Amino acid sequence: MKRTYNVLNTIFIASLCISAAMVLLFETDILPDGVCHTATGAAEFVWATVMELLTICVIPVALRLFRFGSIARRLVSAEALLSWGSLRLLMLCVPMVLNTLLYYMYMNVAFGYMGIILFLCLFFVMPTKARCESEVAKRDVENDK
């Protein structure tokens, strides 16, 4: 269980550090912002549409992932929790990091808002030792019935 907790926590912290590093680099003008902003904005529109749809779809699925029957039945070991927990974290972390990058590339506040929303959602699935143990233990109790 300790390995599972460490891997999940590493994914969680790494994604926050990557996003924070991007914010720091762009806000201090080490990296230039708005470099992809064009007069037509066609690429920006496509990215905004894709990221809005992805964000809207990923959040409810990630937050309720462990309540789906087929997945809940598989969460009986630390290894299963590692794979499904990693998937759940990555479903939130990858779009968050991408939205952070796209915000600074296009300076479009929609990307910033989506990144903030995904950031806040991460704290509902934050990997703690108690949560990791309870997710597997809860499934063991349900399977014994």
Side-chain angles (χ1 to χ4, degrees):
M1 186 60 67
K2 184 173 174 123
R3 179 179 173 276
T4 299
Y5 165 74
N6 287 337
V7 171
L8 294 177
N9 208 28
T10 301
I11 293 170
F12 179 78
I13 292 171
S15 67
L16 294 179
C17 288
I18 291 169
S19 292
M22 278 194 290
V23 169
L24 182 69
L25 291 172
F26 280 108
E27 290 294 331
T28 57
D29 290 330
I30 293 172
L31 293 176
D33 56 6
V35 294
C36 292
H37 188 71
T38 61
T40 60
E44 180 181 355
F45 174 76
V46 171
W47 273 113
T49 303
V50 167
M51 292 310 295
E52 286 168 1
L53 290 172
L54 183 65
T55 301
I56 289 170
C57 295
V58 151
I59 290 172
V61 172
L63 294 178
R64 296 195 48 89
L65 185 67
F66 289 177
R67 294 187 183 189
F68 296 138
S70 61
I71 295 171
R73 285 189 293 275
R74 294 178 187 172
L75 284 173
V76 294
S77 66
E79 293 78 26
L81 178 62
L82 177 61
S83 62
W84 289 107
S86 297
L87 175 66
R88 178 168 71 171
L89 279 173
L90 291 173
M91 287 172 70
L92 296 172
C93 292
V94 171
M96 179 190 70
V97 170
L98 190 55
N99 273 316
T100 304
L101 178 63
L102 289 170
Y103 169 73
Y104 285 106
M105 298 304 287
Y106 290 105
M107 293 307 295
N108 182 343
V109 295
F111 295 119
Y113 291 140
M114 288 185 286
I116 291 168
I117 291 167
L118 287 161
F119 169 75
L120 293 173
C121 289
L122 276 175
F123 292 97
F124 289 101
V125 297
M126 183 172 67
T128 62
K129 288 182 181 179
R131 178 173 283 160
C132 289
E133 292 169 1
S134 71
E135 288 294 342
V136 174
K138 183 173 24 173
R139 305 306 177 221
D140 287 339
V141 169
E142 290 173 3
N143 289 338
D144 288 342
K145 290 181 182 180

mmCIF file of all heavy atoms in Angstrom, residues 43-89:
data_model
loop_
_atom_site.group_PDB
_atom_site.id
_atom_site.type_symbol
_atom_site.label_atom_id
_atom_site.label_comp_id
_atom_site.label_asym_id
_atom_site.label_seq_id
_atom_site.Cartn_x
_atom_site.Cartn_y
_atom_site.Cartn_z
ATOM 1 N N ALA A 43 -6.933 28.471 -34.564
ATOM 2 C CA ALA A 43 -6.336 27.428 -33.721
ATOM 3 C C ALA A 43 -6.774 27.593 -32.273
ATOM 4 O O ALA A 43 -7.046 26.609 -31.574
ATOM 5 C CB ALA A 43 -4.816 27.465 -33.826
ATOM 6 N N GLU A 44 -6.843 28.829 -31.820
ATOM 7 C CA GLU A 44 -7.290 29.105 -30.456
ATOM 8 C C GLU A 44 -8.722 28.618 -30.247
ATOM 9 O O GLU A 44 -9.040 28.030 -29.219
ATOM 10 C CB GLU A 44 -7.193 30.600 -30.181
ATOM 11 C CG GLU A 44 -7.630 30.988 -28.785
ATOM 12 C CD GLU A 44 -7.526 32.485 -28.567
ATOM 13 O OE1 GLU A 44 -7.030 33.217 -29.449
ATOM 14 O OE2 GLU A 44 -7.952 32.933 -27.490
ATOM 15 N N PHE A 45 -9.577 28.838 -31.228
ATOM 16 C CA PHE A 45 -10.960 28.377 -31.140
ATOM 17 C C PHE A 45 -11.034 26.858 -31.040
ATOM 18 O O PHE A 45 -11.788 26.314 -30.224
ATOM 19 C CB PHE A 45 -11.765 28.866 -32.354
ATOM 20 C CG PHE A 45 -13.153 28.303 -32.404
ATOM 21 C CD1 PHE A 45 -14.148 28.789 -31.563
ATOM 22 C CD2 PHE A 45 -13.463 27.276 -33.276
ATOM 23 C CE1 PHE A 45 -15.429 28.253 -31.596
ATOM 24 C CE2 PHE A 45 -14.736 26.733 -33.314
ATOM 25 C CZ PHE A 45 -15.726 27.227 -32.470
ATOM 26 N N VAL A 46 -10.241 26.182 -31.857
ATOM 27 C CA VAL A 46 -10.235 24.714 -31.828
ATOM 28 C C VAL A 46 -9.755 24.211 -30.474
ATOM 29 O O VAL A 46 -10.374 23.335 -29.867
ATOM 30 C CB VAL A 46 -9.374 24.146 -32.981
ATOM 31 C CG1 VAL A 46 -9.174 22.655 -32.825
ATOM 32 C CG2 VAL A 46 -10.011 24.468 -34.312
ATOM 33 N N TRP A 47 -8.628 24.767 -29.999
ATOM 34 C CA TRP A 47 -8.113 24.349 -28.694
ATOM 35 C C TRP A 47 -9.123 24.629 -27.582
ATOM 36 O O TRP A 47 -9.315 23.804 -26.694
ATOM 37 C CB TRP A 47 -6.790 25.066 -28.385
ATOM 38 C CG TRP A 47 -5.595 24.370 -28.912
ATOM 39 C CD1 TRP A 47 -4.760 24.815 -29.897
ATOM 40 C CD2 TRP A 47 -5.077 23.107 -28.496
ATOM 41 N NE1 TRP A 47 -3.766 23.897 -30.111
ATOM 42 C CE2 TRP A 47 -3.926 22.843 -29.264
ATOM 43 C CE3 TRP A 47 -5.474 22.166 -27.549
ATOM 44 C CZ2 TRP A 47 -3.168 21.691 -29.107
ATOM 45 C CZ3 TRP A 47 -4.717 21.012 -27.394
ATOM 46 C CH2 TRP A 47 -3.589 20.789 -28.171
ATOM 47 N N ALA A 48 -9.750 25.802 -27.620
ATOM 48 C CA ALA A 48 -10.720 26.153 -26.586
ATOM 49 C C ALA A 48 -11.899 25.183 -26.600
ATOM 50 O O ALA A 48 -12.350 24.714 -25.546
ATOM 51 C CB ALA A 48 -11.199 27.589 -26.768
ATOM 52 N N THR A 49 -12.390 24.852 -27.775
ATOM 53 C CA THR A 49 -13.514 23.922 -27.883
ATOM 54 C C THR A 49 -13.140 22.538 -27.380
ATOM 55 O O THR A 49 -13.879 21.926 -26.600
ATOM 56 C CB THR A 49 -13.991 23.840 -29.355
ATOM 57 O OG1 THR A 49 -14.332 25.153 -29.804
ATOM 58 C CG2 THR A 49 -15.184 22.922 -29.482
ATOM 59 N N VAL A 50 -11.980 22.049 -27.801
ATOM 60 C CA VAL A 50 -11.532 20.713 -27.375
ATOM 61 C C VAL A 50 -11.329 20.672 -25.858
ATOM 62 O O VAL A 50 -11.787 19.737 -25.185
ATOM 63 C CB VAL A 50 -10.234 20.315 -28.114
ATOM 64 C CG1 VAL A 50 -9.580 19.101 -27.488
ATOM 65 C CG2 VAL A 50 -10.522 20.073 -29.583
ATOM 66 N N MET A 51 -10.686 21.686 -25.320
ATOM 67 C CA MET A 51 -10.402 21.682 -23.882
ATOM 68 C C MET A 51 -11.669 21.884 -23.059
ATOM 69 O O MET A 51 -11.794 21.317 -21.968
ATOM 70 C CB MET A 51 -9.359 22.739 -23.538
ATOM 71 C CG MET A 51 -7.979 22.430 -24.096
ATOM 72 S SD MET A 51 -7.379 20.754 -23.743
ATOM 73 C CE MET A 51 -7.220 20.812 -21.976
ATOM 74 N N GLU A 52 -12.622 22.673 -23.549
ATOM 75 C CA GLU A 52 -13.888 22.830 -22.832
ATOM 76 C C GLU A 52 -14.648 21.512 -22.784
ATOM 77 O O GLU A 52 -15.152 21.107 -21.726
ATOM 78 C CB GLU A 52 -14.738 23.923 -23.481
ATOM 79 C CG GLU A 52 -14.232 25.313 -23.195
ATOM 80 C CD GLU A 52 -14.876 26.384 -24.047
ATOM 81 O OE1 GLU A 52 -15.758 26.057 -24.881
ATOM 82 O OE2 GLU A 52 -14.493 27.558 -23.889
ATOM 83 N N LEU A 53 -14.723 20.824 -23.926
ATOM 84 C CA LEU A 53 -15.407 19.533 -23.952
ATOM 85 C C LEU A 53 -14.683 18.510 -23.079
ATOM 86 O O LEU A 53 -15.328 17.758 -22.331
ATOM 87 C CB LEU A 53 -15.521 19.024 -25.388
ATOM 88 C CG LEU A 53 -16.477 19.801 -26.292
ATOM 89 C CD1 LEU A 53 -16.354 19.324 -27.734
ATOM 90 C CD2 LEU A 53 -17.901 19.673 -25.796
ATOM 91 N N LEU A 54 -13.369 18.473 -23.170
ATOM 92 C CA LEU A 54 -12.593 17.535 -22.366
ATOM 93 C C LEU A 54 -12.772 17.810 -20.870
ATOM 94 O O LEU A 54 -13.007 16.883 -20.089
ATOM 95 C CB LEU A 54 -11.109 17.628 -22.749
ATOM 96 C CG LEU A 54 -10.169 16.666 -22.044
ATOM 97 C CD1 LEU A 54 -10.487 15.225 -22.439
ATOM 98 C CD2 LEU A 54 -8.727 17.002 -22.382
ATOM 99 N N THR A 55 -12.694 19.056 -20.481
ATOM 100 C CA THR A 55 -12.841 19.418 -19.074
ATOM 101 C C THR A 55 -14.234 19.081 -18.561
ATOM 102 O O THR A 55 -14.382 18.504 -17.479
ATOM 103 C CB THR A 55 -12.540 20.920 -18.877
ATOM 104 O OG1 THR A 55 -11.211 21.186 -19.323
ATOM 105 C CG2 THR A 55 -12.680 21.329 -17.432
ATOM 106 N N ILE A 56 -15.247 19.400 -19.339
ATOM 107 C CA ILE A 56 -16.624 19.134 -18.923
ATOM 108 C C ILE A 56 -16.881 17.640 -18.772
ATOM 109 O O ILE A 56 -17.595 17.204 -17.876
ATOM 110 C CB ILE A 56 -17.624 19.762 -19.919
ATOM 111 C CG1 ILE A 56 -17.612 21.277 -19.774
ATOM 112 C CG2 ILE A 56 -19.029 19.223 -19.723
ATOM 113 C CD1 ILE A 56 -18.368 22.000 -20.864
ATOM 114 N N CYS A 57 -16.293 16.836 -19.640
ATOM 115 C CA CYS A 57 -16.517 15.384 -19.595
ATOM 116 C C CYS A 57 -15.655 14.684 -18.544
ATOM 117 O O CYS A 57 -16.100 13.730 -17.911
ATOM 118 C CB CYS A 57 -16.246 14.766 -20.964
ATOM 119 S SG CYS A 57 -17.406 15.312 -22.230
ATOM 120 N N VAL A 58 -14.431 15.154 -18.372
ATOM 121 C CA VAL A 58 -13.482 14.457 -17.503
ATOM 122 C C VAL A 58 -13.808 14.638 -16.020
ATOM 123 O O VAL A 58 -13.661 13.691 -15.241
ATOM 124 C CB VAL A 58 -12.052 14.948 -17.831
ATOM 125 C CG1 VAL A 58 -11.118 14.882 -16.667
ATOM 126 C CG2 VAL A 58 -11.501 14.153 -18.980
ATOM 127 N N ILE A 59 -14.243 15.808 -15.616
ATOM 128 C CA ILE A 59 -14.451 16.073 -14.188
ATOM 129 C C ILE A 59 -15.462 15.116 -13.561
ATOM 130 O O ILE A 59 -15.143 14.453 -12.570
ATOM 131 C CB ILE A 59 -14.810 17.553 -13.945
ATOM 132 C CG1 ILE A 59 -13.590 18.427 -14.209
ATOM 133 C CG2 ILE A 59 -15.312 17.771 -12.526
ATOM 134 C CD1 ILE A 59 -13.863 19.910 -14.181
ATOM 135 N N PRO A 60 -16.684 14.984 -14.076
ATOM 136 C CA PRO A 60 -17.622 14.071 -13.415
ATOM 137 C C PRO A 60 -17.177 12.612 -13.462
ATOM 138 O O PRO A 60 -17.389 11.865 -12.506
ATOM 139 C CB PRO A 60 -18.943 14.270 -14.157
ATOM 140 C CG PRO A 60 -18.682 15.147 -15.297
ATOM 141 C CD PRO A 60 -17.300 15.699 -15.184
ATOM 142 N N VAL A 61 -16.558 12.213 -14.565
ATOM 143 C CA VAL A 61 -16.093 10.826 -14.672
ATOM 144 C C VAL A 61 -15.001 10.557 -13.649
ATOM 145 O O VAL A 61 -15.016 9.538 -12.959
ATOM 146 C CB VAL A 61 -15.616 10.507 -16.105
ATOM 147 C CG1 VAL A 61 -14.963 9.150 -16.175
ATOM 148 C CG2 VAL A 61 -16.780 10.598 -17.078
ATOM 149 N N ALA A 62 -14.049 11.470 -13.533
ATOM 150 C CA ALA A 62 -12.943 11.275 -12.589
ATOM 151 C C ALA A 62 -13.427 11.277 -11.141
ATOM 152 O O ALA A 62 -12.964 10.475 -10.326
ATOM 153 C CB ALA A 62 -11.881 12.353 -12.789
ATOM 154 N N LEU A 63 -14.356 12.157 -10.824
ATOM 155 C CA LEU A 63 -14.823 12.242 -9.439
ATOM 156 C C LEU A 63 -15.670 11.037 -9.037
ATOM 157 O O LEU A 63 -15.714 10.673 -7.863
ATOM 158 C CB LEU A 63 -15.604 13.543 -9.219
ATOM 159 C CG LEU A 63 -14.787 14.830 -9.331
ATOM 160 C CD1 LEU A 63 -15.686 16.037 -9.131
ATOM 161 C CD2 LEU A 63 -13.632 14.850 -8.348
ATOM 162 N N ARG A 64 -16.333 10.399 -9.980
ATOM 163 C CA ARG A 64 -17.189 9.257 -9.655
ATOM 164 C C ARG A 64 -16.630 7.928 -10.151
ATOM 165 O O ARG A 64 -17.317 6.912 -10.097
ATOM 166 C CB ARG A 64 -18.581 9.480 -10.249
ATOM 167 C CG ARG A 64 -19.277 10.688 -9.638
ATOM 168 C CD ARG A 64 -20.740 10.727 -9.910
ATOM 169 N NE ARG A 64 -21.463 9.514 -9.670
ATOM 170 C CZ ARG A 64 -22.015 9.152 -8.523
ATOM 171 N NH1 ARG A 64 -21.876 9.921 -7.473
ATOM 172 N NH2 ARG A 64 -22.699 8.042 -8.416
ATOM 173 N N LEU A 65 -15.394 7.917 -10.604
ATOM 174 C CA LEU A 65 -14.812 6.740 -11.234
ATOM 175 C C LEU A 65 -14.892 5.504 -10.350
ATOM 176 O O LEU A 65 -15.222 4.418 -10.817
ATOM 177 C CB LEU A 65 -13.350 7.016 -11.612
ATOM 178 C CG LEU A 65 -12.647 5.919 -12.395
ATOM 179 C CD1 LEU A 65 -13.271 5.796 -13.783
ATOM 180 C CD2 LEU A 65 -11.170 6.230 -12.520
ATOM 181 N N PHE A 66 -14.608 5.631 -9.069
ATOM 182 C CA PHE A 66 -14.583 4.473 -8.182
ATOM 183 C C PHE A 66 -15.977 4.000 -7.790
ATOM 184 O O PHE A 66 -16.121 2.989 -7.124
ATOM 185 C CB PHE A 66 -13.776 4.766 -6.927
ATOM 186 C CG PHE A 66 -12.293 4.869 -7.178
ATOM 187 C CD1 PHE A 66 -11.434 5.193 -6.156
ATOM 188 C CD2 PHE A 66 -11.749 4.649 -8.435
ATOM 189 C CE1 PHE A 66 -10.067 5.293 -6.367
ATOM 190 C CE2 PHE A 66 -10.392 4.749 -8.664
ATOM 191 C CZ PHE A 66 -9.555 5.073 -7.620
ATOM 192 N N ARG A 67 -17.010 4.711 -8.203
ATOM 193 C CA ARG A 67 -18.382 4.289 -7.900
ATOM 194 C C ARG A 67 -19.019 3.498 -9.030
ATOM 195 O O ARG A 67 -20.110 2.958 -8.855
ATOM 196 C CB ARG A 67 -19.241 5.497 -7.572
ATOM 197 C CG ARG A 67 -18.781 6.148 -6.295
ATOM 198 C CD ARG A 67 -19.701 7.219 -5.869
ATOM 199 N NE ARG A 67 -19.155 7.851 -4.663
ATOM 200 C CZ ARG A 67 -19.815 8.706 -3.947
ATOM 201 N NH1 ARG A 67 -21.032 9.054 -4.303
ATOM 202 N NH2 ARG A 67 -19.264 9.240 -2.898
ATOM 203 N N PHE A 68 -18.370 3.456 -10.176
ATOM 204 C CA PHE A 68 -18.875 2.625 -11.267
ATOM 205 C C PHE A 68 -18.717 1.166 -10.859
ATOM 206 O O PHE A 68 -17.649 0.749 -10.410
ATOM 207 C CB PHE A 68 -18.144 2.901 -12.576
ATOM 208 C CG PHE A 68 -18.326 4.301 -13.110
ATOM 209 C CD1 PHE A 68 -17.258 4.998 -13.648
ATOM 210 C CD2 PHE A 68 -19.560 4.917 -13.084
ATOM 211 C CE1 PHE A 68 -17.421 6.285 -14.145
ATOM 212 C CE2 PHE A 68 -19.741 6.200 -13.573
ATOM 213 C CZ PHE A 68 -18.664 6.879 -14.102
ATOM 214 N N GLY A 69 -19.756 0.374 -11.041
ATOM 215 C CA GLY A 69 -19.780 -1.004 -10.559
ATOM 216 C C GLY A 69 -18.626 -1.860 -11.023
ATOM 217 O O GLY A 69 -18.002 -2.572 -10.230
ATOM 218 N N SER A 70 -18.324 -1.821 -12.299
ATOM 219 C CA SER A 70 -17.256 -2.674 -12.820
ATOM 220 C C SER A 70 -15.897 -2.278 -12.258
ATOM 221 O O SER A 70 -15.054 -3.136 -11.993
ATOM 222 C CB SER A 70 -17.229 -2.622 -14.345
ATOM 223 O OG SER A 70 -16.970 -1.304 -14.781
ATOM 224 N N ILE A 71 -15.682 -1.008 -12.035
ATOM 225 C CA ILE A 71 -14.412 -0.555 -11.472
ATOM 226 C C ILE A 71 -14.367 -0.819 -9.978
ATOM 227 O O ILE A 71 -13.343 -1.253 -9.445
ATOM 228 C CB ILE A 71 -14.181 0.931 -11.801
ATOM 229 C CG1 ILE A 71 -14.025 1.090 -13.309
ATOM 230 C CG2 ILE A 71 -12.956 1.479 -11.058
ATOM 231 C CD1 ILE A 71 -13.998 2.498 -13.799
ATOM 232 N N ALA A 72 -15.474 -0.599 -9.296
ATOM 233 C CA ALA A 72 -15.521 -0.838 -7.848
ATOM 234 C C ALA A 72 -15.217 -2.294 -7.519
ATOM 235 O O ALA A 72 -14.554 -2.580 -6.514
ATOM 236 C CB ALA A 72 -16.893 -0.439 -7.297
ATOM 237 N N ARG A 73 -15.680 -3.219 -8.350
ATOM 238 C CA ARG A 73 -15.415 -4.641 -8.112
ATOM 239 C C ARG A 73 -13.939 -4.987 -8.300
ATOM 240 O O ARG A 73 -13.448 -5.948 -7.729
ATOM 241 C CB ARG A 73 -16.272 -5.503 -9.033
ATOM 242 C CG ARG A 73 -17.731 -5.568 -8.615
ATOM 243 C CD ARG A 73 -18.497 -6.595 -9.425
ATOM 244 N NE ARG A 73 -18.620 -6.211 -10.832
ATOM 245 C CZ ARG A 73 -19.564 -5.415 -11.326
ATOM 246 N NH1 ARG A 73 -20.475 -4.902 -10.512
ATOM 247 N NH2 ARG A 73 -19.608 -5.129 -12.618
ATOM 248 N N ARG A 74 -13.241 -4.200 -9.106
ATOM 249 C CA ARG A 74 -11.813 -4.471 -9.369
ATOM 250 C C ARG A 74 -10.890 -3.873 -8.315
ATOM 251 O O ARG A 74 -9.719 -4.227 -8.263
ATOM 252 C CB ARG A 74 -11.427 -3.928 -10.740
ATOM 253 C CG ARG A 74 -12.123 -4.642 -11.861
ATOM 254 C CD ARG A 74 -11.748 -4.042 -13.180
ATOM 255 N NE ARG A 74 -12.548 -4.634 -14.241
ATOM 256 C CZ ARG A 74 -12.552 -4.205 -15.477
ATOM 257 N NH1 ARG A 74 -11.805 -3.181 -15.823
ATOM 258 N NH2 ARG A 74 -13.299 -4.782 -16.375
ATOM 259 N N LEU A 75 -11.370 -2.948 -7.507
ATOM 260 C CA LEU A 75 -10.527 -2.287 -6.512
ATOM 261 C C LEU A 75 -10.394 -3.150 -5.253
ATOM 262 O O LEU A 75 -10.907 -2.817 -4.195
ATOM 263 C CB LEU A 75 -11.106 -0.923 -6.139
ATOM 264 C CG LEU A 75 -10.914 0.175 -7.157
ATOM 265 C CD1 LEU A 75 -11.672 1.420 -6.744
ATOM 266 C CD2 LEU A 75 -9.450 0.481 -7.348
ATOM 267 N N VAL A 76 -9.683 -4.244 -5.375
ATOM 268 C CA VAL A 76 -9.541 -5.167 -4.246
ATOM 269 C C VAL A 76 -8.097 -5.272 -3.767
ATOM 270 O O VAL A 76 -7.828 -5.968 -2.799
ATOM 271 C CB VAL A 76 -10.063 -6.580 -4.603
ATOM 272 C CG1 VAL A 76 -11.564 -6.533 -4.838
ATOM 273 C CG2 VAL A 76 -9.339 -7.127 -5.824
ATOM 274 N N SER A 77 -7.181 -4.583 -4.437
ATOM 275 C CA SER A 77 -5.779 -4.673 -4.036
ATOM 276 C C SER A 77 -5.100 -3.328 -4.259
ATOM 277 O O SER A 77 -5.622 -2.445 -4.939
ATOM 278 C CB SER A 77 -5.061 -5.753 -4.848
ATOM 279 O OG SER A 77 -4.999 -5.372 -6.202
ATOM 280 N N ALA A 78 -3.918 -3.213 -3.692
ATOM 281 C CA ALA A 78 -3.144 -1.987 -3.861
ATOM 282 C C ALA A 78 -2.740 -1.793 -5.316
ATOM 283 O O ALA A 78 -2.677 -0.660 -5.805
ATOM 284 C CB ALA A 78 -1.913 -2.023 -2.965
ATOM 285 N N GLU A 79 -2.491 -2.884 -6.034
ATOM 286 C CA GLU A 79 -2.114 -2.786 -7.439
ATOM 287 C C GLU A 79 -3.266 -2.242 -8.279
ATOM 288 O O GLU A 79 -3.070 -1.441 -9.187
ATOM 289 C CB GLU A 79 -1.662 -4.146 -7.986
ATOM 290 C CG GLU A 79 -0.374 -4.651 -7.386
ATOM 291 C CD GLU A 79 -0.559 -5.242 -5.992
ATOM 292 O OE1 GLU A 79 -1.676 -5.720 -5.673
ATOM 293 O OE2 GLU A 79 0.405 -5.208 -5.226
ATOM 294 N N ALA A 80 -4.468 -2.708 -7.984
ATOM 295 C CA ALA A 80 -5.639 -2.207 -8.703
ATOM 296 C C ALA A 80 -5.862 -0.730 -8.403
ATOM 297 O O ALA A 80 -6.178 0.063 -9.296
ATOM 298 C CB ALA A 80 -6.875 -3.022 -8.341
ATOM 299 N N LEU A 81 -5.690 -0.373 -7.129
ATOM 300 C CA LEU A 81 -5.837 1.031 -6.751
ATOM 301 C C LEU A 81 -4.785 1.887 -7.444
ATOM 302 O O LEU A 81 -5.068 3.011 -7.863
ATOM 303 C CB LEU A 81 -5.733 1.201 -5.234
ATOM 304 C CG LEU A 81 -5.823 2.641 -4.721
ATOM 305 C CD1 LEU A 81 -7.175 3.248 -5.074
ATOM 306 C CD2 LEU A 81 -5.580 2.688 -3.232
ATOM 307 N N LEU A 82 -3.592 1.357 -7.602
ATOM 308 C CA LEU A 82 -2.526 2.097 -8.276
ATOM 309 C C LEU A 82 -2.903 2.398 -9.723
ATOM 310 O O LEU A 82 -2.785 3.542 -10.183
ATOM 311 C CB LEU A 82 -1.215 1.313 -8.230
ATOM 312 C CG LEU A 82 -0.034 1.931 -8.963
ATOM 313 C CD1 LEU A 82 0.312 3.292 -8.385
ATOM 314 C CD2 LEU A 82 1.160 1.004 -8.909
ATOM 315 N N SER A 83 -3.400 1.412 -10.435
ATOM 316 C CA SER A 83 -3.741 1.649 -11.843
ATOM 317 C C SER A 83 -4.961 2.552 -11.989
ATOM 318 O O SER A 83 -4.934 3.507 -12.777
ATOM 319 C CB SER A 83 -3.946 0.322 -12.576
ATOM 320 O OG SER A 83 -5.015 -0.380 -12.013
ATOM 321 N N TRP A 84 -6.021 2.275 -11.243
ATOM 322 C CA TRP A 84 -7.229 3.098 -11.361
ATOM 323 C C TRP A 84 -7.040 4.483 -10.739
ATOM 324 O O TRP A 84 -7.550 5.478 -11.249
ATOM 325 C CB TRP A 84 -8.436 2.389 -10.750
ATOM 326 C CG TRP A 84 -8.878 1.235 -11.577
ATOM 327 C CD1 TRP A 84 -8.714 -0.088 -11.302
ATOM 328 C CD2 TRP A 84 -9.524 1.288 -12.846
ATOM 329 N NE1 TRP A 84 -9.213 -0.856 -12.314
ATOM 330 C CE2 TRP A 84 -9.730 -0.037 -13.278
ATOM 331 C CE3 TRP A 84 -9.947 2.324 -13.667
ATOM 332 C CZ2 TRP A 84 -10.339 -0.349 -14.487
ATOM 333 C CZ3 TRP A 84 -10.564 2.015 -14.874
ATOM 334 C CH2 TRP A 84 -10.750 0.696 -15.266
ATOM 335 N N GLY A 85 -6.300 4.553 -9.642
ATOM 336 C CA GLY A 85 -6.027 5.846 -9.020
ATOM 337 C C GLY A 85 -5.155 6.718 -9.908
ATOM 338 O O GLY A 85 -5.354 7.930 -10.001
ATOM 339 N N SER A 86 -4.179 6.095 -10.573
ATOM 340 C CA SER A 86 -3.341 6.842 -11.517
ATOM 341 C C SER A 86 -4.172 7.374 -12.671
ATOM 342 O O SER A 86 -4.016 8.528 -13.080
ATOM 343 C CB SER A 86 -2.228 5.951 -12.063
ATOM 344 O OG SER A 86 -1.377 5.531 -11.038
ATOM 345 N N LEU A 87 -5.049 6.540 -13.185
ATOM 346 C CA LEU A 87 -5.925 6.978 -14.272
ATOM 347 C C LEU A 87 -6.771 8.161 -13.829
ATOM 348 O O LEU A 87 -6.888 9.168 -14.544
ATOM 349 C CB LEU A 87 -6.819 5.828 -14.734
ATOM 350 C CG LEU A 87 -7.856 6.198 -15.789
ATOM 351 C CD1 LEU A 87 -7.185 6.586 -17.092
ATOM 352 C CD2 LEU A 87 -8.829 5.062 -15.997
ATOM 353 N N ARG A 88 -7.361 8.061 -12.628
ATOM 354 C CA ARG A 88 -8.223 9.139 -12.126
ATOM 355 C C ARG A 88 -7.425 10.435 -11.957
ATOM 356 O O ARG A 88 -7.892 11.509 -12.352
ATOM 357 C CB ARG A 88 -8.859 8.722 -10.807
ATOM 358 C CG ARG A 88 -9.720 9.798 -10.204
ATOM 359 C CD ARG A 88 -10.559 9.310 -9.076
ATOM 360 N NE ARG A 88 -9.758 9.015 -7.905
ATOM 361 C CZ ARG A 88 -10.285 8.733 -6.722
ATOM 362 N NH1 ARG A 88 -11.592 8.681 -6.574
ATOM 363 N NH2 ARG A 88 -9.511 8.478 -5.700
ATOM 364 N N LEU A 89 -6.230 10.352 -11.399
ATOM 365 C CA LEU A 89 -5.421 11.556 -11.241
ATOM 366 C C LEU A 89 -5.007 12.142 -12.584
ATOM 367 O O LEU A 89 -5.052 13.360 -12.783
ATOM 368 C CB LEU A 89 -4.181 11.244 -10.409
ATOM 369 C CG LEU A 89 -4.376 11.210 -8.905
ATOM 370 C CD1 LEU A 89 -3.114 10.732 -8.215
ATOM 371 C CD2 LEU A 89 -4.785 12.561 -8.375
#
